Structures are given as C-alpha cells and as structure tokens.
Amino acid sequence: MADDEALIDDPRDGPRADDDAGRPDDRVDDERHDADNRLKPAYVRAVVEAIEGGERARAYALVEPLHPADVADLFELLDAEQRPLLAAAITDLMSGDVIAELNDHVRDDMIEALAPEAVAEIVEQLETDDAVQLIEDLEPAEQAAILAEMEPEDRAAIESALAYPEETAGRLMSREFVAVPEHLTVGDLIDYLRDANAVHLPTEFWEVFVVDPAHHPVGTCQLSWILRTPRNIALSDVMKRDQTLIPVTMDQEEVGNMFQKYALISAAVVDESGRLVGQMTVDDVVHIISEEAGEDVLLLSGAGDGDINEPIRDAYTARVRWLIANLGTAVVASAIIAMFGAAIEELVALAVLMPIVASIGGNAGTQTMAVTVRAIAMNQLTRANTRRMLWREMRVALLNGATVAVLIGLAVAVLFTTQLGGVIAAAMMINIVVAGLAGVVVPVLFERLDQDPAVASSVFVTMITDSMGFLAFLGLAVAAGLGG
Amino acid sequence: MADDEALIDDPRDGPRADDDAGRPDDRVDDERHDADNRLKPAYVRAVVEAIEGGERARAYALVEPLHPADVADLFELLDAEQRPLLAAAITDLMSGDVIAELNDHVRDDMIEALAPEAVAEIVEQLETDDAVQLIEDLEPAEQAAILAEMEPEDRAAIESALAYPEETAGRLMSREFVAVPEHLTVGDLIDYLRDANAVHLPTEFWEVFVVDPAHHPVGTCQLSWILRTPRNIALSDVMKRDQTLIPVTMDQEEVGNMFQKYALISAAVVDESGRLVGQMTVDDVVHIISEEAGEDVLLLSGAGDGDINEPIRDAYTARVRWLIANLGTAVVASAIIAMFGAAIEELVALAVLMPIVASIGGNAGTQTMAVTVRAIAMNQLTRANTRRMLWREMRVALLNGATVAVLIGLAVAVLFTTQLGGVIAAAMMINIVVAGLAGVVVPVLFERLDQDPAVASSVFVTMITDSMGFLAFLGLAVAAGLGG
C-alpha cells in the first residue's frame, strides 16, 4: 500500500488538466444531487437505463464526474442485480477510494463474486486501515486465501492490524504518519518533506509528531504553526508538549469521545511502552462517532445492524431474538394478570383500563432509559454524579406521575367510578416513579458490570414497568374492594 | 475577537517554559483520569474538599494541569452550589476555552449570575462561533444588554451570525479563514503567512482557499501539499479544483453528513452568489454529528434535551407532553378493548393474553421505526430506494411474525385451548406485519411532509400497533366463537 493513489496527481507535477474534465460536480443542487446532497431519483434512473440498455459509454459519462463517495452511494441505491452491470460499465472508475467507501454489505456481496487474486489486487490499492476494514469481516478461510495472494509487506501490515481486537485503536489506526526527531529546525523539516525521494509520506497529514530517540512522542506540530514560523527556529520551540496520546488498546467509542472532547484533528497512538505506533485522524473517527452515537436507538429496540442493505436473514435473526426475549417478559406480565382473573371477571372495566397504566409506565421508563444510556455513552454520567442524577430523575418522575395520574384519574372518575379513578391515579403514580427508577438503575448496573447498557437494559426495564403496571393497578383495585 | 488567545504562546516567541509547569496530564489512566478518560471520583472529591474548605491555592494546584475541556467537565460534575466556589478559586484558569467548553445549561446558570458588562468581557475573549453559541440561547433582552456592552466590531460579527437561522451553516461557521488569489506561488503564500504583521490569521487552519477576484472559491490547498511543494510552483498548480462548498443556508445535520461522506477536514461556506463567507472545520462539525446521531433515541421516546444538567422544569415539560400524548393513544386502545367487554367477561383468558399481542407488536414497530429513522438521517433511505426497503421490511416482518406466532400459539394451545392458540397466533402475525408496515410508512410520510420523523412518528406507530393488537386478537377471538 505504498504511495497510494491520491485523489489528485502529485502536486509537484504541474498543471492538472483532468481536474476540469466533464461538468463540475457541485454536490448540492446540481443535475445529480438535490439540496440535501442526495442523488436525485431521475439521475439514478438515467444510470439504470444506461446500464440495463448496455450503453456503457453513456453510463460512464453519467458517473464520471462523481466523487468516489457518491459512486459508492449509487451502488447502494441500485438493486443487487444491477450492481455488477454498473461495475462492469465503469471499471476505470472503480478505484480503491470507491471500494473503501462502499457500504459494508454491498461490498461483501461484490467481493464474494471475485476470486482471491482479484480481491488481493483491490486490497493492495487501499490504505492499510481501509484494507483491514474490508478484510476483517470475511470468513477466516477467505481471509487466508486473500492474504496469501498479497505482497509480503502489505500482508504483514494487515496481519499486524488484525492482531488487535476489533474496534480498538490498534485495529483502526493508520500506520503511516510523519515523525521527526527533536533537534530539527523548521527549515530541516520543510526540506525533508520536499525531498522527492522522501520515504513514503502519508497521502494526507495534518500534523507532525516529534519523537525522542526511543520513539516516544514528546510533542506535536500542527502544519499551520510550521508554515508561520521562520526556517531557523527549532521544532522543539514550535511544538506543543501537551498532547493527547491514544493507547493502542482503547475502544473506538472512547477514541471518538476523546477526539470530540479535545477537538483533535489527529492524535498519536502509542503502545504499552509508550512508543509511537500509529495515528488516528478525525475523518476516520467521524465515522465511529456517528455510528456509536446512532446505534443506541437501534440497540435499545433490538433492531440489530440497522443497515438497510443487511441481508434479510441477518436482520431476521437479530430482531427475532429480541422479540422472543420480549415475549418472555410479556408472558411474565400476563401471569400477573392471571392472578387477578376473578377480579376481572367481576369488573370488566379492570381489563379495559389496565393496559393504560402499563403503557404509560413503559413510555416513562423508555424516556429515562434513553437519557441515561446517552449520558453514559457521552461520559456525562460517571460515578461522581450518579446519585445526583438519580435524585433528579426521581423528581421529574414524581412531577410526571402526579400530572398524568391526575389527568387519567379525573377521566376515569367521570367515565367510570370515583373509586376506579382513585385506583388508576395511584397505580399510575407508582408505575411512573418505578419506571423512572428502573430507567436509571438498570443501565447504570449494566455499565458497572461492564456490559453495554444500550443492549441489555430495555428488556429488563420493560419487564419491570409492564409487571408493576398490572400489579399496581389490579392489586390496588382488589385491595379497594373492587372486582368483588 | 481578534488574535484570540491560543492554547500555546505565539510560536515565533521561542521556548515555552510554562508548558512544563505542573505534572503533565496524560488524559488517560493518570491521577485524574480513569482508563476511559473520565475524571476519577477520588480526584473530584479532593477538589470539592479543597473549595469547600476555602483552600483556594490547593484547588488551583489540583485543577491547573487540566485541559480546558476537562475543567469544563469538572464543573459539570459539581453541584450547583459548588460551581461558584470553584470559579472563584481558579479565576485565572477560567479562560475563554473553558467557557466555550462548558455544558450549555451549566454555562447559562453561571452567565445569569453575572452583569452584562462582565459577560461582554468573557464573550469578547471567544472566537465568533463560540461567542454566538453562548449568546444565542439567552433571552432577547439579555442578548441586547450584552451586545450593547461589546466592541462594535465584535458585536457586528455576532449580529451577522444571529441573522442566520439557528442550526444553519451561516450561524455556525467561523468567519476567519485564509483566502488568497490564484496568481500566488507557494513561496508567496509562505512569506505571507510568516509576516508578523499579517492581517488577522485564524488561530488554527488546515487548508488555504484560493479565490478569484470576485471572491468565489476556485480551489483549495491542504497545508501538507504546500509544505511538500517547492516555492516556485504556482498555487493554481497545487490546488484542488474539485471542492465541496457548503451553502450558507444548509442545515447542520446535512453539513455533518457532507463532512462525514467526503471525509472533509474543513470546507468553504458560500453565500447565495457563491462568494466565500466563512469556513467550517471538522472539530465543530463533530459535535453536530454526535448530537444529531444521538438525538434520535431521545426524540423517539420524547425525552427532550436528554442533557442531565437540564433544569428539572424543562425536563418535566418536555417529557410530560409526550406522556400525555401517549395517554391519548392508550385511551384509544382501551376504547377498542371496551367494545369487546362482553367477550372478556365470558372468557377471562382473553384479558390475560391480549397484552402480549399489543406488546410484541409495539416492539416490532419500534424496531422498524428505529431502522427507518436512522436510515433517513444518514441519507441511506431516499426516494430512489424506498419501495425496495419497504418490501424488505415486509419480508423481515413476515419471518418474525411467523416465528413469534408459532411460539406463542403453541404455548397458548398447551396452557389454554387449541382454539385460543390459533387465534393468538393469527393475531400476532397480523400485528407484527402491520407494525413493520407502520414502522416504515409513518416516518417516511413525515419526512415527505418535511417534519422530523424522529419527533412525530412514535406516537402514531404506537397507536397503530396497540389498537391493531387488541383489535386483531379480540376480534378474531369473537369471530372464532370464543367469549360467548
């Protein structure tokens, strides 16, 4: 993966005629994109017509002005049968950048259709971190076959990345960075970067790491500082010694939080002995941040991957597992109702009203759970303020409970009997407060047990709110002498 | 806001002795932070003891090595009464950077305690975009009072930002950037940047925009390209003409999507006539991405802000509104149950089993809704592939429905009667398929009506799944002759 093809020609080569080829792509509100940067259906249809009609040249002309990320989007919008047609029509445009940008599932499908040698060729075009992303999700047998076809150097880089656990800095980092010793001046550094024979610089970099003889980072220099400083000044007078180092074992979600908190553009990754081994840049981290922040809503509902390109079988297995778990909690709640069967027979209004208590309790529990899970994910909720947050949620629950209880109590008192109104009001109050408690305690407990609170909490919180809802309402009703 | 205080001294001034003051802060696994970069409770307690005991010097020494973002975190972890004590103990450390990093609600509290002149002084230390963030959430009267106390230049910058709608590029952009004419060489640019009298360069920048005489961007130069190019080469031969321009009216969520999709570090913001008016850098956008991606889970449950520092009154009003709306849908469902009151009186098992159908239907609906809402937010779901996605969700729903129906049907057939088993199986199948349909159609409909699908969908989807659940089960039971 040395000297990866950049999106533009080597800047030292002079004018770039091909930059002006074709109509310029504005990315927003042009022939291909709408105002929100999405590909227009009319444009997509035109491409589909061209490839299905065998008009390869026309398809090529339509697709050529697009940025690789948009070419990848186009593949995603096509059907499974149309994708190979497009790939065949635009072979020249299928650069490593496009492959790297493809949606995971779409890419897996395309990879499966190719022989290991062909895949190895593609992988060798990619930067190490993109190559790793492509390879890590394949079956071990496929992985081995592809790695066997690769150049030893490239294979070694990928294997060293795969040695780290998934979703850690060691797996995700780029192994290319600029690191220089402390004694250089700004002028020395600029000359080094300009040297046409310079060993293997990264395609893009935003800062330069300064290391000691043991390869430990001692400071960083943003490129803007270097450009603004006269040549004779020593780097050690320009660099910032206060730096944020990412341990190679750090989980991707924490890396994302660090980048966000400290407004980092890039950061050095160090191994256990403090040696500089890699770099993470914010454009890779941005994907992580978005994914990690967005996954809570999917995890809390057991929706799995949430990727609409996921094979149906995978979506089914992930979601049905969740539905079956919820079936269990629903059955527990039904068992509680069964205990009050006689009362319901006597007073059918109990059956009519009981779902209201359970339902609103469930909503209140979900609200609190969502807030708690997000606060944990953003490191806003820690041991230092858990008790305070719990107390806050209790107060909000009391206010909510009182309001809802009064409303439903009055409505039921009017439509049924005053006694029933009082019972449902009391049950509602109890259930909403319990829901608020559960919505904080359950996620926090899972966090302390080192489990992902978003994954495990909702089944338990739902069980608590459903069961408590029915128990409180029917129990109070019976205690009040209703239902015979 | 000219020449904002950078975190480090002007690089042209030589050695930086104060960088080594105090114990270095590792940010991970040191005396102050745990392995996940959170402040240790023991450390927080030590700070609290110091400020409550009036030991200002000790508090200062404890806090001094922290990055401004960590000082801001510390404020967040303290109680409302402790925060002013901390602020008083570390006045020198309360730089613009700390203020800018403070949680919105915490900052609002502190600002409210100060006179407009004092606030104006703080605001003038900040960069325009941070100043705007601080000011935009204040009451108009307060805003006016503070703006009146500011220097005309700074006030004008803020007012021009406030002229744009909230959460648009025009409001969020930085007005400081480096823009140069096309005819310069690399050498000219470097000399310009080094000129100690150079007009007002931004504290940090990552690329240089190249503009034509009408101030329209014609290309961009990443700093790494400039550093690697000999001085005599013309900028127009180094720059990339293919660029991503952000319209000044673009919504922040779309800006975030663009940055993520095109792996941007910074991007030019242009007005309606295409003139370069500002710049957005990825570290600001990262906050937007995280916030926008994470808010779906809060919106879908009506949890409001989700910020645990939000005043209780605000959390209450946001959430209770939601609970009351759900009260409405629960009452609709109860009305349906009431229609079958006689059947329930005859066969209490109906009351015991009916919540199961509604509950699992609700889960299935929530799953599909979560997937659809995320896909819409990430521009994965567009008009070009909506039909395909709907068809996919139908198939997943059929598989889920069949599985769950068989399981619960068998269990009920064993525990109750075969007839009841058949009825609940059929009702479950119907409700899960309906839930799958609703979970896609409702969010997509709101998206087409230009409403935020995450805000409005769940009340409607819940109403559909609850009502259909009870209707299908009780209706089929009565049709099958159960319940007399």
Side-chain angles (χ1 to χ4, degrees), chain A residues 215-249:
Chain A
H215 220 63
H216 295 166
V218 294
T220 68
C221 283
Q222 285 187 14
L223 296 188
S224 61
W225 305 341
I226 294 169
L227 277 174
R228 296 169 67 172
T229 308
R231 291 183 57 101
N232 59 306
I233 304 286
L235 272 188
S236 50
D237 290 339
V238 180
M239 72 184 186
K240 184 155 74 88
R241 288 177 193 276
D242 176 43
Q243 45 182 345
T244 305
L245 303 176
I246 312 277
V248 86
T249 50

Side-chain angles (χ1 to χ4, degrees), chain A residues 144-404:
Chain A
I146 293 165
L147 286 169
E149 297 291 330
M150 294 180 62
E151 299 293 316
E153 207 182 82
D154 298 334
R155 176 169 64 235
I158 295 185
E159 285 176 340
S160 109
L162 291 175
Y164 290 102
E166 249 192 294
E167 297 190 353
T168 56
R171 174 74 69 96
L172 299 160
M173 68 187 183
S174 164
R175 282 160 175 67
E176 285 142 25
F177 48 83
V178 181
V180 295
E182 280 185 87
H183 58 80
L184 291 190
T185 63
V186 167
D188 293 333
L189 175 62
I190 295 182
D191 294 338
Y192 167 65
L193 294 173
R194 284 194 183 135
D195 181 2
N197 298 323
V199 177
H200 190 115
L201 292 173
T203 320
E204 284 193 356
F205 58 98
W206 309 96
E207 61 178 338
V208 168
F209 301 115
V210 181
V211 294
D212 67 11
H215 220 63
H216 295 166
V218 294
T220 68
C221 283
Q222 285 187 14
L223 296 188
S224 61
W225 305 341
I226 294 169
L227 277 174
R228 296 169 67 172
T229 308
R231 291 183 57 101
N232 59 306
I233 304 286
L235 272 188
S236 50
D237 290 339
V238 180
M239 72 184 186
K240 184 155 74 88
R241 288 177 193 276
D242 176 43
Q243 45 182 345
T244 305
L245 303 176
I246 312 277
V248 86
T249 50
M250 182 172 259
D251 180 78
Q252 71 174 19
E253 188 167 15
E254 296 313 323
V255 175
N257 284 339
M258 296 261 274
F259 263 75
Q260 193 175 328
K261 179 167 158 185
Y262 298 117
L264 303 173
I265 300 293
S266 61
V269 181
V270 293
D271 65 12
E272 293 82 7
S273 59
R275 281 175 48 98
L276 174 61
V277 291
Q279 162 183 278
M280 294 202 68
T281 42
V282 67
D283 50 340
D284 292 319
V285 171
V286 145
H287 284 276
I288 293 168
I289 287 174
S290 169
E291 188 188 295
E292 290 282 344
E295 70 178 9
D296 289 337
V297 69
L298 298 166
L299 290 172
L300 278 176
S301 60
D305 191 297
D307 189 329
I308 63 178
N309 296 293
E310 188 187 25
I312 285 183
R313 174 212 300 261
D314 296 353
Y316 161 65
T317 34
R319 296 194 213 174
V320 84
R321 202 175 312 181
W322 201 253
L323 293 180
I324 292 174
N326 277 290
L327 202 54
T329 69
V331 162
V332 166
S334 285
I336 289 177
I337 301 172
M339 284 168 17
F340 296 90
I344 293 174
E345 268 178 325
E346 277 293 317
L347 184 54
V348 153
L350 293 179
V352 169
L353 295 173
M354 66 185 189
I356 298 179
V357 182
S359 170
I360 305 305
N363 291 323
T366 306
Q367 282 181 346
T368 317
M369 216 181 11
V371 172
T372 309
V373 163
R374 285 302 298 147
I376 290 175
M378 298 192 296
N379 282 349
Q380 234 193 351
L381 181 60
T382 70
R383 284 173 188 261
N385 63 351
T386 301
R387 195 165 305 182
R388 198 171 86 231
M389 191 219 172
L390 186 55
W391 180 221
R392 173 183 185 260
E393 288 301 320
M394 280 294 95
R395 280 142 77 194
V396 175
L398 284 164
L399 286 168
N400 284 334
T403 311
V404 175

Side-chain angles (χ1 to χ4, degrees), chain B residues 56 72 75 78 86 138 170 179 199 229 234 251 371 383 450 466 477:
Chain B
R56 290 190 171 189
F75 270 98
L78 264 42
L86 181 61
L138 300 173
V199 175
T229 308
D251 180 79
V371 171
R383 285 174 188 260
D450 232 16
D466 277 356

Side-chain angles (χ1 to χ4, degrees), chain B residues 218-283:
Chain B
V218 294
T220 66
C221 283
Q222 288 187 10
L223 297 188
S224 62
W225 307 339
I226 294 169
L227 276 174
R228 295 168 69 171
T229 308
R231 291 181 57 101
N232 59 306
I233 305 286
L235 273 188
S236 52
D237 290 340
V238 182
M239 73 185 186
K240 184 155 74 90
R241 290 178 193 275
D242 177 42
Q243 44 183 345
T244 305
L245 303 174
I246 312 278
V248 85
T249 51
M250 184 173 257
D251 180 79
Q252 69 175 21
E253 187 168 17
E254 296 312 325
V255 174
N257 284 339
M258 297 260 277
F259 264 73
Q260 192 175 329
K261 180 167 158 183
Y262 298 117
L264 303 173
I265 299 293
S266 61
V269 181
V270 293
D271 65 12
E272 294 82 7
S273 61
R275 283 175 47 99
L276 174 61
V277 291
Q279 165 183 278
M280 294 203 67
T281 41
V282 66
D283 49 341

